[in-house]
Amino acid sequence: MTIREFKMPDVGEGLTEAEILKWYVQPGDTVTDGQVVCEVETAKAAVELPIPFDGTVHALLFEEGTTVDVGQVIISVQTGSGGAAEAPAQEIPAPAEAEEAAPAARQPVLVGYGVAESSTKRRPRKAAPAPAVAAQNGTAAPVAAPAAAPAPAAPAVPAQPTGERPLAKPPVRKLAKDLGIDLASVVPTGDGGVVTREDVHAAAAAAIVPQAGPAVAAPAAPAPAAEAVAVSAAVPADPSARETRIPVKGVRKVTAQAMVGSAFTAPHVTEFITLDVTRTMKLVQELKDDPDLAGLRINPLLLIAKAVLVAIRRNPDVNASWDEAAQEIVLKHYVNLGIAAATPRGLIVPNIKDAHAKTLGELSESLSSLVATARDGKTSPADMQNGTITITNVGVFGVDTGTPILNPGESAILAVGAIKLQPWVHKGKVKPRQVTTLALSFDHRLIDGELGSKFLADIAAVLEHPRRLVTWS
């Protein structure tokens, strides 16, 4: 029997860490080469990881919600004959947990290679799924409040004696810190007196809603573990608290870093234009009724994207990037059109590859796929790489426009404001018309004022008179 290790891979370009969102297996499960064992969130997207060999799961080394460095072992698997019939393997602790549980004189242990012989008693692995796996089922186990009677199946262990450090894994310690809970005051329910996530949540709930005498806590409502953690981390344990701190990580962290880098690297210029898009809105409705486009998603963003592509064809020099190392401007003869998308994990900008070569129907299908994938959190790192120009539709939030920051490595970004019925001079008379405002931010190293103005004016001209989608193509 051999123990093989699977390390956190770099699923993007140069990523250094990823958060384990969900485990799909548990110790004792049989896995095959290519089987997805977990889902992780990188700085760019959520990605499913397949195991590259066959065997029986020996240990999960990190809980859900833990951020793991690329190259660290996350799961060990028994391979070879006799895997399932062997005696239960000892628990292999994560580095932080091993350091916590072992005496100072113990020799270092390589994660995944077993535990050095020691007189220290190790906690046996629970027969039930580990916390990371139990969270996968989408339910929070009912636990008793500190004053509750112990449940028959899992008797409560008295709180740790004064002066002794409570037993808890690093993610649980962090959760307690975020919620302002003293671990020494928490009644542990885990095997061997270990404080679990549920214990911390129960203590936080008891602190917010004081119990009127001994009572059994009501079972928690079923909720995905990841969601429960995210909500709890954003809610202060004390309702009167004046501040709440939310850790910045994952997509939000990288977006912040990229925006700061872009803002202080590329000299931004933003220009605005307000225009009448009544004809475009009429065309949207006509296309929706067109049987040749039945089943396709037709909306204003589709025609705005097409207008941008037409304007790029007329002003090809806007589609470029700046090579700092070579001190060169790189003209792109293709358009990977980025669409900024607000998701629960933060702002991401996937792009439609070779958008310039797509028909209106193909562009519609690509937009629909992009939106659906982003909404489900399944956008891959490749979908967000090598963009050339981006559209951000801030109008969906009811605002008129903004001054967007360039996506790093791109030359321009177009912000589309809300389309509203407003008084407008049309054919010499003031009439109610559908009006919007566009804002174009561009890199002044690549695009001067004349080129940027012509590009923006051409986008507006197409949207004011959408027949130019044909005559200018």
Side-chain angles (χ1 to χ4, degrees):
M1 184 269 289
T2 303
I3 297 293
R4 297 191 65 178
E5 301 171 332
F6 179 51
K7 299 179 180 179
M8 177 68 74
D10 178 358
V11 294
E13 293 185 357
L15 296 176
T16 59
E17 63 183 20
E19 178 184 348
I20 297 176
L21 295 180
K22 182 183 297 185
W23 283 108
Y24 296 120
V25 296
Q26 63 184 25
D29 286 353
T30 299
V31 293
T32 57
D33 185 0
Q35 178 180 339
V36 172
V37 294
C38 68
E39 181 182 24
V40 302
E41 181 182 24
T42 70
K44 296 182 178 181
V47 180
E48 292 183 330
L49 297 184
I51 196 84
F53 38 76
D54 301 336
T56 302
V57 177
H58 176 239
L60 308 180
L61 273 54
F62 294 94
E63 287 186 327
E64 292 177 350
T66 305
T67 298
V68 181
D69 291 336
V70 168
Q72 282 191 279
V73 178
I74 60 174
I75 181 174
S76 60
V77 174
Q78 289 182 167
T79 61
S81 61
E86 297 286 344
Q90 285 181 297
E91 178 178 4
I92 302 175
E97 185 184 356
E99 192 176 79
E100 190 179 297
R106 189 165 68 84
Q107 293 297 317
V109 177
L110 291 178
V111 175
Y113 284 93
V115 185
E117 291 186 4
S118 167
S119 58
T120 305
K121 293 182 69 176
R122 310 296 298 174
R123 295 194 304 273
R125 179 171 292 280
K126 293 186 286 184
V133 180
Q136 168 197 341
N137 298 329
T139 58
V143 295
V157 179
Q160 296 292 325
T162 304
E164 291 190 17
R165 191 181 189 205
L167 296 176
K169 294 186 177 180
V172 177
R173 293 187 184 282
K174 182 179 183 303
L175 175 62
K177 181 179 178 181
D178 291 340
L179 296 180
I181 299 298
D182 182 3
L183 278 176
S185 67
V186 178
V187 176
T189 62
D191 285 357
V194 178
V195 177
T196 66
R197 288 179 179 273
E198 288 74 17
D199 298 336
V200 175
H201 284 303
I208 296 174
V209 185
Q211 300 291 327
V216 177
E227 180 183 3
V229 171
V231 172
S232 299
V235 178
D238 182 358
S240 64
R242 291 168 62 85
E243 296 181 349
T244 298
R245 291 181 177 267
I246 303 173
V248 179
K249 59 182 181 178
V251 173
R252 191 177 299 277
K253 179 179 179 180
V254 171
T255 299
Q257 294 171 341
M259 291 300 97
V260 171
S262 176
F264 290 96
T265 300
H268 284 58
V269 174
T270 304
E271 295 187 342
F272 307 87
I273 190 167
T274 301
L275 61 148
D276 176 2
V277 293
T278 304
R279 293 185 180 91
T280 287
M281 298 304 289
K282 288 181 179 178
L283 179 57
V284 168
Q285 189 57 53
E286 291 172 4
L287 294 175
K288 285 182 177 180
D289 298 334
D290 190 332
D292 291 337
L293 298 176
L296 295 178
R297 181 170 179 163
I298 308 296
N299 56 23
L301 181 60
L302 173 62
L303 295 188
I304 292 168
K306 198 66 175 176
V308 169
L309 295 172
V310 170
I312 291 174
R313 190 180 300 115
R314 288 170 58 84
N315 304 274
D317 289 350
V318 303
N319 192 44
S321 64
W322 181 272
D323 187 332
E324 180 65 28
Q327 288 294 293
E328 294 176 340
I329 293 174
V330 183
L331 295 177
K332 309 292 178 66
H333 305 302
Y334 57 90
V335 181
N336 290 346
L337 184 63
I339 305 294
T343 75
R345 293 188 174 96
L347 179 70
I348 63 173
V349 188
N351 60 75
I352 300 172
K353 299 295 190 287
D354 293 326
H356 66 287
K358 295 184 181 293
T359 64
L360 189 67
E362 292 169 342
L363 192 61
S364 173
E365 290 176 344
S366 296
L367 276 171
S368 296
S369 175
L370 178 150
V371 170
T373 303
R375 185 190 305 117
D376 295 339
K378 301 298 183 182
T379 303
S380 70
D383 290 337
M384 292 183 284
Q385 295 167 359
N386 303 317
T388 59
I389 286 180
T390 289
I391 298 173
T392 178
N393 185 10
V394 298
V396 297
F397 304 111
V399 300
D400 293 334
T401 192
T403 55
I405 297 176
L406 293 168
N407 204 30
E410 298 183 9
S411 60
I413 179 171
L414 179 74
V416 181
I419 299 174
K420 300 178 180 178
L421 198 64
Q422 296 183 20
W424 192 264
V425 177
H426 177 67
K427 296 182 179 179
K429 296 181 180 179
V430 177
K431 297 181 179 180
R433 304 286 288 181
Q434 298 283 351
V435 176
T436 191
T437 299
L438 305 178
L440 180 73
S441 291
F442 53 87
D443 186 340
H444 214 332
R445 297 172 300 179
L446 299 163
I447 302 173
D448 59 23
E450 179 184 9
L451 178 59
S453 299
K454 287 182 176 179
F455 178 54
L456 182 58
D458 279 354
I459 296 172
V462 173
L463 294 175
E464 285 183 323
H465 299 280
R467 65 176 181 273
R468 287 173 174 148
L469 288 171
V470 177
T471 59
W472 283 5
S473 294

